[in-house]
Amino acid sequence: MVRVTAAIALARRQATALPDAALTVLVHADAVTVSGTVGGWDRSLRGHVAVALRRLGL
């Protein structure tokens, strides 16, 4: 979960220069890996992954 949240944060800040490792984490995040919620976030972790991927044009 930590790697996924870090990749989401990087995608929000550096959408044009996202490191390959962070992109790999986002692309390979599946429903099992990102199930559940993060306290204080307005949507599920999977929802944030989807938004990050959309922001990257994927």
Side-chain angles (χ1 to χ4, degrees):
M1 179 160 39
V2 172
R3 292 185 323 152
V4 174
T5 55
I8 291 168
L10 280 172
R12 292 184 74 135
R13 291 185 181 96
Q14 302 176 346
T16 59
L18 190 66
D20 289 339
L23 180 59
T24 300
V25 168
L26 289 175
V27 169
H28 294 291
D30 60 11
V32 174
T33 305
V34 294
S35 64
T37 60
V38 177
W41 287 23
D42 62 344
R43 64 176 65 97
S44 70
L45 191 54
R46 181 66 194 147
H48 283 284
V49 168
V51 169
L53 289 172
R54 188 171 350 134
R55 179 171 241 224
L56 296 169
L58 301 174

